């Protein structure tokens, strides 16, 4: 596994310029925790502003259109978010898959566009409660990932996986450590199968789904967990940094 845990804040559809103070606080504090890689993905409207403020943290986008310039009113493509200062993009999040009907083919097209624009990709996957209760969680998640993995020739530099069980996003529920370990190991085995163990070793697998300061340490010490994709708790520098501190302490342990 990669050396440093990766803690990424996904601000979703939250944030005006008033949130820049939170970004500044996160950035300044992150300079004290160099054993952890810290990043945030603000809304499009704040990417450039957060990028200008950031001295330490990474800045990314929450999505991108797969096409080049053209008549796509309201859309923003990978080259545009890179030009605004983004270094990575979150793709395939369950909220995009569910709310916008995003298919695997569309997500794969976005991946190709992001790679061409020089962006790293955080590729999301996750199952519904119904799928888990039916005993099909691993098959479903690996089925989401397998076609997308073929798009990455250099996975160590371009790819991070984020496992987010849909039933644990914004619900206050988290998967048990055993659930998380089993899924992350299944994903690791798939990465090894596709890329070979040596090439896949530095691809981090993040966990997302109601990660908070009080459960972060337990989650981050679970085998094959390389960090966290954090939603609501990333909107406050205080709570987000509680997760960063937990990640730092796991490195010191």
């Amino acid at each position: 596994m990669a050396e440093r845990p990766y803690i990424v804040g996904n601000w979703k559809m939250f944030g005006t310029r008033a949130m820049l103070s939170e970004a500044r606080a996160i950035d300044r504090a992150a300079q004290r925790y160099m054993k952890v890689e810290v990043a945030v993905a603000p809304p499009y409207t704040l990417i450039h502003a957060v990028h200008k403020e950031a001295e330490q943290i990474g800045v990314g986008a929450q999505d991108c259109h797969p096409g080049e310039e053209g008549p796509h009113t309201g859309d923003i493509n990978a080259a545009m978010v890179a030009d605004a200062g983004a270094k990575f993009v979150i793709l395939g999040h369950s909220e995009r898959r569910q709310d916008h009907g995003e298919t695997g083919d569309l997500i794969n097209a976005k991946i190709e566009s992001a790679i061409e624009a020089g962006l790293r990709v955080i590729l999301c996957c996750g199952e519904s409660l119904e799928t888990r209760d039916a005993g099909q969680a691993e098959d479903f998640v690996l089925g989401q990932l397998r076609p997308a993995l073929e798009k990455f020739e250099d996975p160590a530099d371009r790819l991070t996986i984020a496992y987010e069980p849909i039933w644990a996003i914004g619900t206050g529920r988290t998967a048990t450590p055993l659930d998380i370990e089993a899924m992350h190991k299944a994903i690791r085995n798939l990465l090894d199968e596709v890329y070979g163990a040596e090439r896949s070793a530095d691809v981090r697998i993040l966990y997302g789904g109601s990660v908070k300061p009080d459960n972060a340490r337990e989650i981050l010490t679970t085998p094959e967990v390389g960090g966290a994709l954090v939603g609501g708790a990333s909107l406050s520098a205080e709570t987000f940094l509680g997760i960063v501190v937990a990640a730092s302490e796991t490195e010191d342990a």
Side-chain angles (χ1 to χ4, degrees), residues 132-231:
R132 173 160 287 276
D133 286 345
Q136 299 172 348
E138 287 189 12
D139 287 344
F140 180 84
V141 168
L142 300 185
Q144 284 183 317
L145 292 175
R146 190 181 296 275
L149 297 183
E150 300 172 359
K151 305 297 180 182
F152 296 90
E153 294 183 4
D154 193 356
D157 289 340
R158 292 292 179 198
L159 174 63
T160 299
I161 303 292
Y163 168 58
E164 292 193 306
I166 296 170
W167 48 271
I169 299 174
T171 64
R173 298 178 58 183
T174 56
T176 68
L178 289 177
D179 290 336
I180 297 170
E181 180 178 357
M183 186 63 78
H184 280 233
K185 284 186 173 180
I187 293 171
R188 178 61 62 192
N189 289 338
L190 176 62
L191 291 170
D192 290 347
E193 175 190 328
V194 173
Y195 300 124
E198 185 174 348
R199 292 181 66 216
S200 71
D202 288 332
V203 177
R204 289 172 290 197
I205 308 171
L206 314 184
Y207 174 77
S210 298
V211 180
K212 299 178 175 64
D214 59 1
N215 64 19
R217 184 178 179 88
E218 181 180 42
I219 291 169
L220 293 169
T221 54
T222 299
E224 293 297 348
V225 174
L229 181 58
V230 184

Side-chain angles (χ1 to χ4, degrees), residues 58-83:
V59 181
Q62 299 171 22
D63 187 47
C64 67
H65 187 277
E68 299 179 356
E69 295 178 340
H72 305 291
T73 300
D75 286 317
I76 298 175
N77 67 21
M80 290 173 175
V81 297
D83 184 61

Side-chain angles (χ1 to χ4, degrees), residues 23-24 27-28 30-31 50-59:
R24 281 192 293 270
D27 184 72
R28 303 308 181 259
Q31 296 177 39
V50 175
H51 170 67
K52 288 177 65 177
E53 293 284 349
E55 297 177 2
Q56 179 61 36
I57 63 173
V59 181

